[in-house]
Amino acid sequence: QVRLAESGGGSVQSGGSLRLSCVESGYEYAAGRYCIGWFRQVTGKEREGVAGIDFDGTTTYGDDVKGRVTISRDNALNTVWLRMDSLNLEDTAVYYCAAKKGCADWEDQPDYDYWGQGTQVTVSS
């Protein structure tokens, strides 16, 4: 079983920054080579992809956040970070990390095997 735990969410003013963390655990995770994706969901809207990072560090970004978001990982720490800069009101959402084998079609949510519980990010003016 793979477990994912997000943290780092909170309230921030427009223009500010946050760094979210996703800590992975479980025997299967240690044995696998998982792609980690970050997604977000605004209340009443569909969940959308933010960024993905493969086990080898290859990164991809959603069009809406490109240039403002950086995804990184430390495999020794089983941790993936999502740094978000120049936050605006439209970034308010619950952010989730998810894991699957390989980052091909990283935005394809049904492909992900494991999901975290999410962390709330609220941007205010």
Side-chain angles (χ1 to χ4, degrees):
Q1 184 72 17
V2 173
R3 292 177 293 276
L4 305 175
E6 304 96 336
S7 63
S11 298
V12 62
Q13 287 193 320
S14 181
S17 300
L18 276 178
R19 189 178 76 161
L20 307 182
S21 299
C22 174
V23 178
E24 307 89 39
S25 61
Y27 173 77
E28 288 188 29
Y29 183 82
R33 296 171 66 86
Y34 285 90
C35 164
I36 299 296
W38 277 99
F39 297 84
R40 66 184 182 184
Q41 187 166 25
V42 176
T43 301
K45 295 188 177 181
E46 292 186 357
R47 190 161 52 192
E48 63 176 1
V50 177
I53 186 165
D54 213 337
F55 191 81
D56 65 359
T58 302
T59 59
T60 52
Y61 295 94
D63 290 339
D64 288 347
V65 299
K66 202 170 292 184
R68 299 191 297 117
V69 167
T70 304
I71 189 171
S72 59
R73 72 189 294 165
D74 186 327
N75 292 330
L77 297 177
N78 290 342
T79 302
V80 172
W81 295 277
L82 184 73
R83 178 175 173 87
M84 302 185 292
D85 297 310
S86 301
L87 287 163
N88 57 58
L89 299 180
E90 289 70 35
D91 295 316
T92 294
V94 178
Y95 285 72
Y96 301 89
C97 63
K100 68 168 185 168
K101 295 288 188 68
C103 266
D105 300 320
W106 72 274
E107 291 183 282
D108 196 355
Q109 297 179 43
D111 283 354
Y112 284 83
D113 299 307
Y114 305 100
W115 289 83
Q117 293 299 306
T119 185
Q120 175 71 46
V121 172
T122 302
V123 183
S124 59
S125 59

